[in-house]
Amino acid sequence: MARKAREKVPFGTYLVQQSCVEGKNIFDSDTDRHNFLEILQEKKAQFQFKVYGYCLADKQAYKLVLYDNGSDISKIMKSINISYAYRMRNRGKIFRGRYRSTLIKSPEDLRIVLNTLHGEKPCCDYWSAITDTLLDSDIYFTPGKSNRESVMIYDTETGEICLDVNPSCKDRTDCIRTLDQGMKLLKAAAKVHGLTLEQFLSNKQLRNSELLNFRKMTTLSLKEIGTLFGGLGESAVCKIISRNMGK
């Protein structure tokens, strides 16, 4: 019976799962897991893909969430598995057949996959010094049937994916379209509280409340909003938004 062709797209995001041959383990210890992450980091530098999540808890399988970033996912996985098998060559053949991959087609599906992965204990209990540089919080994602790459930020504490697309207010007269307009609004807000702009921005409760209101009435990007609100990064802006949704 012919093997089913993999579903692949240029600049695709995938949930990848690889198992081992019967009677063998991929990981016998945390040292093996560390070795695997070392290889993953080496291949990330070689192929320039991105890593959004991993699960190494199962001794006989592993899971990865990867964005190929224009490289071929098959070549990436082949290189990872060959390098790990070579490092563990004293054990003989380790991997069983082909890896399984699922193309993730929407931000909502990506959120579900990451939440499920992070919720599988003890998947995320293995954390090494490599992890902080290995995982990418800025998520590059190309939805299915689209050639447009979007940038998102995943907040592991809330499970929210923040798109760098603000609500459209272009038909409103109070819509903020420039940094100068935004700065005037912030200074006015600070004055209402009898504070200087610096004092206002250093008060996190006031700052965050104004940022949430601000986002509803601007076409500025997350990066531009962060610049206005004291030089916050896109990730910090996203976290403020996601952690206060519904409040």
Side-chain angles (χ1 to χ4, degrees), residues 186-203 206:
L186 279 181
K187 288 180 178 179
K191 188 175 181 179
V192 168
H193 291 280
L195 302 173
T196 65
L197 181 61
E198 291 73 19
Q199 291 172 330
F200 182 78
L201 293 177
S202 64
N203 185 315
L206 291 176

Side-chain angles (χ1 to χ4, degrees), residues 149-182:
E149 186 179 63
S150 301
V151 180
M152 298 174 283
I153 298 167
Y154 179 73
D155 186 343
T156 56
E157 291 189 31
T158 64
E160 291 292 335
I161 290 178
C162 192
L163 284 164
D164 193 6
V165 178
N166 287 342
S168 176
C169 68
K170 62 182 180 179
D171 295 327
R172 290 172 47 175
T173 58
D174 59 350
C175 186
I176 301 166
R177 297 177 174 84
T178 68
L179 291 174
D180 286 342
Q181 286 179 309

